Amino acid sequence: MPDGPQNRIIRIFDTTLRDGEQAPGCSMNLQEKIEVAKRLEKLGVDVMEAGFPASSPGDLASVKAIAGIVKDCAVAGLCRSLEKDIDAGKEALAGAAFPRIHIFLATSPIHMEHKLKMTPEQVFEQAVSSVRYAKKFCSDVEFSAEDAFRSDPDFVCRIFGAAIKAGALTVNFPDTVGYAVPDEFAARIRYIKEHTPCIEKAVLSVHCHNDLGLAVANSIAAVTAGADQVECTINGIGERAGNASLEEVVMGIRVRKDYFAADTRIDSTQIYATSRLVSQVTGVKVQPNKAVVGDNAFAHEAGIHQHGVLVKRETYEIMTPESVGIPRNRMVIGKHSGRHAFEDRLKDLGLQADGETLELVFAQFKDLADKKKVVSDRDIEALVMGVAAAVPETWKLDHWAVNTGSALGASGTIRLQHRDGRSKKLVSMGDGPIDSIFRAINSIIGKDPELELYEIGAITGGSSSQGETMVKIAWDGRHWNGRGVSTDVIESSIKAYLSAINSMEWELAAGLP
Ligand code: KIV
Ligand code: ZN
């Protein structure tokens, strides 16, 4: 049974936009970060960490933009324990309804000696003075002892106690390298609670990485030991093997409320749509057997199981798909479906589209329904995403053709229309149809970005499925993602490439860092 008071509310601190986004292959552009931030707000997280303002001008700009939009939860900016970082955090969070400065400094011997080249006393002094500094202009300050699990527990208690005295409202205990095991982690949290001066005045948080696949187990074990806040990410994205997955932590606590005597404020019916959005914007697929949000999480294959579920759902299901926002009713919509059916489906899927976005998505749905008999939920999701996170098009696809075969190279012809009205057509040779077309596009736009990732898949099974292409490009040290969907795989590739190019052109033209 858990320690401490019963029926507690555990705070959820989401760091998808910071720890998640900093993982390789998970970068998002500004528009995508804003879409994710709006979703997290709807999901009901208590805190969203929007970025690391001092790490780059781009991060500062995105934290600023999110701080100006999100009003229903705290927005945190990560800062090293340095005045210049805290100043950047202050600037980025100026427009936030509930700003939080999150300061971190490593406390483990290996980090202090080799990375920081500081003595424990210097670390202690710097931690306390940076909390004091941040407190001058931000009442909500969190202090994290990086690599806390591999630190001397008494040193962590001392530094936490001093940080609380200096004004930290939250102290965070990370297992930065994912080294802990659950019993041991819970015991450590108990120790911290028992030995940190004035701990009752602060929120005790945990932040677990998944290097041994134990991030969720450790986070939940910490809750039983009295932790008040869990830091986590959607789909568990994050540095290396990732962070604790928000959906697993939240549903673990909710489904086993009887055991934990605790809950969170998360609206769990928003979980699936949030997971899908993060997967779509990062291009990082969710494994089919992933707990809570994987494609197979509620699929019953074995006959005995199917029979059991039909007779009484609880025989093999401990939570309903609806409780995490997965519609059980897979109503078919297609060519003959009207606007009401379409809007109902959007609602069932937890997707938001109104005004102009809804008009555009509905028109695209009608086009698609003309080509495909049945439009799947994934198709609809892709349409909404394509419109909601789209940036203004500098280059629009007008026409394309490829010529290819087993004995020849390929030639690609493309005509693009620029925003200013001029049209450009070019033919290029290449190793294959995609290579030839991408080369032609590069010649038209006058830039030669590096293609870092090109991935093609099918949205659903079957030969009538739409092709979905994901690309990542790099130019001048910066990175952009693009997605494209079409019933033709070459066209989906062109659309993906152009969407990355348009993000690049838009951000460069707008002078976004
Ligand atoms: O893993 C970690 O220690 C972190 C801190 C910055 C909180 O991400
Ligand atoms: Zn981390």
Side-chain angles (χ1 to χ4, degrees):
M1 249 336 216
D3 302 347
Q6 306 292 289
N7 302 319
R8 293 183 304 145
I9 288 292
I10 306 301
R11 292 160 208 239
I12 296 296
F13 175 117
D14 178 274
T15 182
T16 305
L17 293 166
R18 198 278 298 169
D19 218 329
E21 206 260 348
Q22 86 191 38
C26 289
S27 60
M28 305 174 209
N29 69 28
L30 177 63
Q31 196 52 36
E32 290 163 343
K33 286 183 187 172
I34 290 174
E35 283 305 309
V36 171
K38 290 200 254 175
R39 273 259 149 228
L40 292 172
E41 187 179 28
K42 194 151 186 241
L43 180 65
V45 301
D46 297 281
V47 188
M48 78 173 73
E49 186 159 60
F52 185 171
S55 68
S56 72
D59 245 43
L60 191 138
S62 55
V63 176
K64 208 181 242 183
I66 291 167
I69 291 170
V70 167
K71 296 296 160 216
D72 286 343
C73 68
V75 177
L78 183 69
C79 307
R80 282 167 301 181
S81 189
L82 300 171
E83 290 193 2
K84 66 174 173 120
D85 274 38
I86 298 169
D87 290 340
K90 173 185 175 188
E91 181 190 340
L93 295 169
F98 305 102
R100 174 178 296 192
I101 296 278
H102 178 193
I103 298 167
F104 74 101
L105 187 58
T107 51
S108 64
I110 187 167
H111 277 237
M112 290 191 290
E113 185 184 337
H114 297 284
K115 185 183 82 175
L116 299 174
K117 302 196 188 319
M118 286 166 77
T119 64
E121 275 327 292
Q122 287 169 326
V123 166
F124 181 87
E125 290 305 328
Q126 190 164 316
V128 175
S129 65
S130 59
V131 171
R132 252 190 226 121
Y133 182 72
K135 238 355 224 195
K136 287 188 195 152
F137 47 80
C138 186
S139 60
D140 188 359
V141 174
E142 170 168 338
F143 174 75
S144 280
E146 191 190 7
D147 204 17
F149 183 72
R150 292 193 300 170
S151 305
D152 171 7
D154 292 322
F155 182 53
V156 176
C157 292
R158 199 174 140 235
I159 212 163
F160 274 0
I164 294 167
K165 196 162 168 221
L169 299 184
T170 304
V171 284
N172 180 37
F173 189 93
D175 179 16
T176 303
V177 292
Y179 185 68
V181 295
D183 281 354
E184 193 189 18
F185 197 64
R188 190 68 61 84
I189 293 301
R190 277 189 202 102
Y191 189 89
I192 299 291
K193 274 194 90 97
E194 280 160 18
H195 295 88
T196 299
C198 299
I199 190 71
E200 67 290 346
K201 292 195 183 140
V203 168
L204 177 58
S205 172
V206 291
H207 174 116
C208 298
H209 279 270
N210 204 31
D211 300 67
L212 294 174
L214 294 170
V216 171
N218 286 336
S219 304
I220 288 189
V223 167
T224 62
D228 313 291
Q229 172 177 287
V230 176
E231 303 196 355
C232 42
T233 59
I234 300 294
N235 299 337
I237 63 170
E239 280 286 358
R240 306 180 309 280
N243 288 62
S245 123
L246 179 147
E247 55 279 6
E248 293 177 27
V249 168
V250 166
M251 292 315 286
I253 294 173
R254 183 151 302 164
V255 170
R256 294 306 313 275
K257 226 191 271 181
D258 61 318
Y259 180 78
F260 291 106
D263 202 353
T264 69
R265 294 191 186 90
I266 294 295
D267 174 358
S268 65
T269 64
Q270 297 297 321
I271 283 180
Y272 185 64
T274 315
S275 157
R276 294 296 314 147
L277 175 65
V278 169
S279 169
Q280 295 239 340
V281 298
T282 57
V284 177
K285 293 206 163 55
V286 172
Q287 76 197 57
N289 60 328
K290 164 92 171 58
V292 183
V293 290
D295 276 352
N296 296 347
F298 295 93
H300 304 278
E301 184 70 26
I304 294 178
H305 290 207
Q306 289 176 346
H307 175 71
V309 171
L310 287 174
V311 179
K312 185 148 179 77
R313 185 186 58 74
E314 289 84 349
T315 49
Y316 288 101
E317 272 184 15
I318 57 164
M319 58 190 155
T320 63
E322 293 86 347
S323 67
V324 296
I326 302 177
R328 194 187 289 269
N329 146 29
R330 301 258 164 204
M331 191 177 67
V332 170
I333 64 168
K335 202 173 157 142
H336 302 293
S337 305
R339 206 190 172 88
H340 279 307
F342 181 70
E343 285 186 38
D344 280 353
R345 198 70 199 140
L346 289 186
K347 219 186 283 153
D348 285 349
L349 293 170
L351 296 169
Q352 270 169 315
D354 39 33
E356 243 178 76
T357 308
L358 178 60
E359 291 308 318
L360 224 79
V361 176
F362 185 63
Q364 291 182 1
F365 159 72
K366 279 296 191 189
D367 277 353
L368 181 61
D370 269 341
K371 293 189 195 137
K372 272 182 102 202
K373 264 214 297 273
V374 172
V375 178
S376 71
D377 292 345
R378 285 285 162 90
D379 290 323
I380 296 175
E381 212 177 68
L383 290 179
V384 174
M385 253 303 296
V387 174
V391 297
E393 286 180 310
T394 305
W395 296 101
K396 206 179 174 119
L397 175 63
D398 212 356
H399 163 89
W400 64 270
V402 288
N403 219 325
T404 189
S406 56
L408 305 163
S411 73
T413 307
I414 192 141
R415 193 166 66 210
L416 301 181
Q417 180 145 31
H418 192 267
R419 197 184 47 224
D420 65 14
R422 77 197 136 96
S423 196
K424 270 195 169 181
K425 181 174 171 182
L426 233 139
V427 184
S428 190
M429 299 300 291
D431 291 339
I434 304 299
D435 184 48
S436 66
I437 285 275
F438 285 8
R439 281 173 192 264
I441 293 176
N442 290 352
S443 302
I444 292 180
I445 66 166
K447 292 190 184 77
D448 195 7
E450 186 191 335
L451 184 63
E452 292 188 306
L453 176 127
Y454 169 78
E455 219 175 68
I456 188 150
I459 287 195
T460 51
S463 59
S464 67
S465 169
Q466 293 203 93
E468 180 180 41
T469 307
M470 184 75 206
V471 301
K472 291 182 197 274
I473 61 169
W475 169 255
D476 204 15
R478 296 176 58 182
H479 308 262
W480 292 272
N481 299 342
R483 278 184 63 260
V485 174
S486 169
T487 47
D488 184 297
V489 289
I490 295 180
E491 188 164 288
S492 76
S493 305
I494 298 172
K495 285 183 169 175
Y497 196 57
L498 277 182
S499 94
I501 300 272
N502 281 327
S503 287
M504 171 178 80
E505 299 278 31
W506 179 65
E507 289 194 6
L508 295 179
L512 290 172

